[in-house]
Amino acid sequence: MSKFYEVRKRDGAARIGKLSRDGVNYARTPLMLRVESLSGKGSEEEIKVISAEDTKFEDLFSEETWSTPRGTLLLPEVHPLFTKMEEAIPSLFVDFFALSFASNMLNSPGDFVRRIIDARNSIPPDVALWVPAIATAENAALLFYLGVDVIDDTNAVIKGYRGIYQVEEGEVRLNDLDDLPCNCSVCSSSSIDELRGENNKDRALLIARHNMLLLDKEVKKAKERIRAGNFREYVEMKVRTSTFSTAVLRILNLDADAYFELRTPVARNQCMEANTMESLKRIEVKRFANRVLERYEPPARKILLILPCSARKPYSTSPSHAKFIEAIADYRGYIHELILTSPLGVVPRELEVVYPAAFYDIPVTGYWDAEEREWVSSCLRAYLERNLRKYELIVAHLSGAYKEICSSVVGDLCIELIFTCENNEKATSKEALNRLKERIAELYGERKRQSGFEMKASMIKAMADYQFGIGAGSELVARKEDERIKITGKFPYYKLSLDGGVLARIVPSYGLLALTMKGARRIVDYLSSYKVEIGDFVPEGSILAPGVVNAGEQIRVNDEVVFAGAKAFGVGRAKMSGWEMVVSRKGVAVQVREVKGI
Ligand SMILES: [Zn+2]
């Protein structure tokens, strides 16, 4: 619990926070503390620290200790053997925790991951975590990615005093450089020969200053990426510069799904660039694949048509998909379309607008490596095992690696399947498109086009199921008795209305379905996992964490939620995870869109 620290923005476990002192905004995290200030020699503006060693342990739990006006911040440590934090928390008001013995983490990538995750899990989400004395420009992004909020320049300064010149990728000895590869104020005002010619003390101070400026720049870069919502891409790029950091990210991909699942936004207005093999292991990718299996029901159609993905998203807006859709237009009423793609696996047509299906990009070479093939194959295999019996027939309009993947999966499952592309033939070629059309016409002679309403309704239904769980979609779009359900708007800006009142609309910029109050009331029985119980008040503006009594555990940042209390009911968008809403004392929990007093 915190009085002076507030998390303002989250991207995975990384956060941007605000630290205030005496009612004034003091600093933002990620934050780099300066060594001079830690030693108490800094200016009045610098932060001052009293170590927990100066305070008796039992005093840490007295309200009085924490409510005294402070120009200083008290920093209890997260000791590796201290496991009773949860019992202690209710009486503790703290803004920061410092992770003790942090330098031990550098002995192994596994320790690095475990120590930080254990620390983050044992302290409340709305306090900052400081990992002292180990940050470098090379590892700072990884520290923030793991959930560290505060670092310091101790390492940068000590290395400088030892003549070690740090660079973004690591470090070099000054003697091994030919030139200074940097434009900071130190490096741009002296040549390497001038720097070498300085006396020992001045040279040490100058290199230390360069190291500090470099780290400061790295903190600013990381902060921008967290703010933009594409920090993971930056971390995937940064870890490449050291085997240690690369190992840390790989261990996270293997062992830390639960940790990141709780912290990763469900949608963003930002493209997800899958440039590395680590991208296949992102939570967003795993979550999408799981939801296609657990929160998606294909519409009742006779034919499953498997298509390749396109560079342009949503796929329907691409030239290749325009050709596929034109080829099958007369028979589309029989067909359910499934798009095969990396790294998402399989994307049902109805979900092509959701995040991240409409928001990812991959480097396209035509070559798929073994791990990528294995992952996409496993997604297709799981989809077919689950849904196979719902179709009479499977048609695959695929060529190249897509066809190879599909062939191997259907071979494993002993399924009959019709391929409509010859080997080495492009799926968009005239011959292949004609063959697709003719094969389907042969199989189902009578034309059956898909109605506009049917197409739009299946998309809204699938999106509601994807967001709230199976059942929510049918309840939302199904016509009951003499209801007048209408869907208006151009793809993908669909708006669902009932008797003239809007129930829900697709928000393509986030890949979400947004509910109105009327829509939320209609499916309220299906929203129990996305419900925020609030106190006895009518929210004006956003709902802050202290106003939350309880919240669904499934709720993630940017989820659509309903909130209800003794005096109000409404809809909005979650700005923190459900578990964070419950335990936090500060910060916006729900951005309110519509509210009604009871
Ligand atoms: Zn420099």
Side-chain angles (χ1 to χ4, degrees):
M1 277 166 232
S2 165
K3 283 187 171 176
F4 302 98
Y5 183 62
E6 180 182 333
V7 181
R8 305 295 293 266
K9 166 106 190 161
R10 296 160 179 81
D11 187 4
R15 306 103 64 84
I16 289 178
K18 186 184 79 175
L19 191 67
S20 56
R21 197 171 67 185
D22 302 330
V24 178
N25 286 349
Y26 171 70
R28 286 190 172 257
T29 65
L31 173 69
M32 182 190 78
L33 298 177
R34 302 285 310 278
V35 173
E36 304 98 64
S37 57
L38 298 185
S39 65
K41 291 177 195 151
S43 68
E44 279 301 301
E45 269 39 312
E46 300 282 4
I47 203 160
K48 300 231 173 52
V49 174
I50 297 173
S51 160
E53 286 161 23
D54 299 337
T55 315
K56 277 191 203 151
F57 185 73
E58 43 294 2
D59 289 344
L60 291 175
F61 303 98
S62 85
E63 175 78 25
E64 205 182 297
T65 303
W66 301 102
S67 54
T68 47
R70 310 179 255 174
T72 55
L73 293 166
L74 291 164
L75 296 172
E77 293 175 314
V78 189
H79 190 279
L81 300 177
F82 185 43
T83 56
K84 294 192 177 159
M85 192 63 74
E86 271 184 35
E87 293 165 31
I89 293 309
S91 57
L92 200 56
F93 284 91
V94 185
D95 303 306
F96 275 49
F97 278 85
L99 182 65
S100 55
F101 306 116
S103 58
N104 285 356
M105 298 180 349
L106 301 175
N107 294 335
S108 88
D111 285 348
F112 191 92
V113 168
R114 202 192 68 250
R115 295 276 322 276
I116 296 177
I117 289 186
D118 284 354
R120 193 70 264 179
N121 277 336
S122 53
I123 63 176
D126 61 344
V127 300
L129 178 64
W130 175 23
V131 171
I134 63 162
T136 62
E138 188 268 317
N139 70 18
L142 198 53
L143 287 166
F144 300 141
Y145 182 70
L146 271 155
V148 172
D149 304 288
V150 183
I151 56 169
D152 56 74
D153 66 350
T154 311
N155 182 293
V157 170
I158 291 173
K159 287 282 169 72
Y161 287 175
R162 288 169 51 199
I164 294 170
Y165 181 95
Q166 294 181 318
V167 289
E168 270 137 352
E169 303 81 19
E171 54 191 36
V172 282
R173 298 204 68 85
L174 192 64
N175 290 339
D176 295 336
L177 284 174
D178 242 7
D179 206 349
L180 297 173
C182 175
N183 285 327
C184 78
S185 58
V186 174
C187 302
S188 54
S189 60
S190 65
S191 70
I192 189 155
D193 292 333
E194 286 164 351
L195 195 57
R196 285 195 186 115
E198 296 282 356
N199 65 50
N200 285 351
K201 188 185 171 199
D202 287 348
R203 187 172 58 243
L205 287 172
L206 286 168
I207 303 176
R209 177 145 186 87
H210 152 83
N211 287 350
M212 185 277 291
L213 290 171
L214 185 77
L215 182 58
D216 192 37
K217 181 175 152 195
E218 180 62 21
V219 173
K220 288 178 179 158
K221 281 165 80 175
K223 203 182 295 177
E224 271 311 298
R225 298 298 291 250
I226 298 168
R227 194 193 51 74
N230 56 12
F231 193 44
R232 167 75 184 206
E233 283 86 336
Y234 185 66
V235 171
E236 286 181 9
M237 179 193 81
K238 282 292 298 184
V239 299
R240 291 285 170 272
T241 57
S242 94
T243 50
F244 184 92
S245 297
T246 303
V248 166
L249 187 61
R250 288 191 184 163
I251 290 170
L252 289 178
N253 290 335
L254 291 170
D255 293 340
D257 280 1
Y259 180 74
F260 285 100
E261 169 52 50
L262 285 172
R263 293 165 171 82
T264 303
V266 85
R268 293 185 181 90
N269 56 353
Q270 178 67 249
C271 178
M272 183 182 95
E273 286 189 11
N275 287 329
T276 74
M277 290 318 289
E278 273 84 22
S279 310
L280 295 177
K281 312 272 171 52
R282 284 179 70 141
I283 283 298
E284 294 89 335
V285 171
K286 293 175 185 170
R287 184 189 276 156
F288 183 83
N290 283 338
R291 288 196 181 187
V292 167
L293 295 179
E294 289 164 12
R295 294 191 182 189
Y296 173 72
E297 272 180 337
R301 301 285 165 84
K302 292 181 173 176
I303 305 174
L304 172 67
L305 173 62
I306 308 176
L307 294 167
C309 60
S310 62
R312 193 185 294 176
K313 317 284 183 315
Y315 309 120
S316 291
T317 60
S318 72
S320 61
H321 278 246
K323 288 179 184 167
F324 302 148
I325 291 167
E326 193 194 335
I328 61 172
D330 286 343
Y331 302 92
R332 216 176 175 195
Y334 296 115
I335 298 171
H336 176 229
E337 296 153 52
L338 187 73
I339 293 103
L340 196 61
T341 186
S342 175
L344 296 184
V346 292
V347 180
R349 173 69 78 200
E350 300 76 25
L351 291 179
E352 67 173 329
V353 175
V354 308
Y355 181 89
F359 296 79
Y360 71 97
D361 208 356
I362 47 163
V364 178
T365 59
Y367 171 79
W368 296 44
D369 72 26
E371 206 173 341
E372 202 173 13
R373 281 169 187 255
E374 181 47 42
W375 165 248
V376 174
S377 299
S378 72
C379 294
L380 179 60
R381 192 178 303 119
Y383 181 87
L384 291 176
E385 280 172 346
R386 190 179 175 83
N387 297 300
L388 191 57
R389 62 190 164 72
K390 295 171 186 159
Y391 307 103
E392 283 179 6
L393 186 72
I394 306 175
V395 177
H397 190 68
L398 304 169
S399 60
Y402 294 101
K403 189 173 179 180
E404 289 163 20
I405 288 170
C406 192
S407 299
S408 87
V409 171
V410 296
D412 291 349
L413 296 175
C414 304
I415 301 171
E416 293 270 324
L417 181 145
I418 297 170
F419 283 111
T420 47
C421 295
E422 299 289 334
N423 288 340
N424 303 321
E425 184 182 51
K426 274 187 155 183
T428 48
S429 70
K430 222 173 187 177
E431 295 74 20
L433 291 167
N434 280 338
R435 196 176 303 113
L436 170 66
K437 189 174 181 174
E438 283 161 14
R439 290 309 300 270
I440 292 174
E442 281 164 28
L443 293 159
Y444 297 91
E446 200 180 323
R447 293 179 181 189
K448 189 177 182 186
R449 296 183 83 99
Q450 188 183 38
S451 79
F453 179 83
E454 197 183 359
M455 196 254 289
K456 294 172 187 174
S458 66
M459 197 161 134
I460 290 175
K461 172 187 173 291
M463 288 181 76
D465 284 347
Y466 182 86
Q467 279 174 231
F468 308 117
I470 290 207
S474 336
E475 190 70 15
L476 190 65
V477 301
R479 199 174 267 130
K480 292 167 205 161
E481 294 166 8
D482 54 355
E483 283 180 347
R484 283 186 304 127
I485 292 261
K486 240 174 106 174
I487 302 175
T488 51
K490 279 191 171 174
F491 177 88
Y493 298 85
Y494 296 150
K495 195 165 74 176
L496 174 77
S497 316
L498 168 67
D499 298 332
V502 178
L503 294 174
R505 51 168 65 83
I506 294 175
V507 184
S509 55
Y510 276 85
L512 284 169
L513 186 72
L515 295 172
T516 62
M517 199 121 81
K518 191 173 175 180
R521 285 196 199 281
R522 185 172 172 88
I523 59 168
V524 76
D525 293 345
Y526 293 87
L527 296 177
S528 55
S529 302
Y530 291 90
K531 186 174 170 187
V532 179
E533 287 172 41
I534 60 168
D536 207 4
F537 63 97
V538 181
E540 289 173 16
S542 301
I543 297 171
L544 303 179
V548 174
V549 177
N550 211 344
E553 286 179 12
Q554 305 260 4
I555 297 171
R556 302 286 175 263
V557 171
N558 286 339
D559 252 324
E560 280 290 304
V561 294
V562 287
F563 55 86
K567 292 189 174 163
F569 178 87
V571 290
R573 191 175 288 177
K575 298 321 285 178
M576 55 174 78
S577 290
W579 63 278
E580 272 198 88
M581 293 181 191
V582 176
V583 295
S584 296
R585 283 286 187 92
K586 266 191 171 281
V588 174
V590 179
Q591 209 173 55
V592 174
R593 188 180 314 116
E594 248 186 289
V595 61
K596 200 163 191 269
I598 295 171

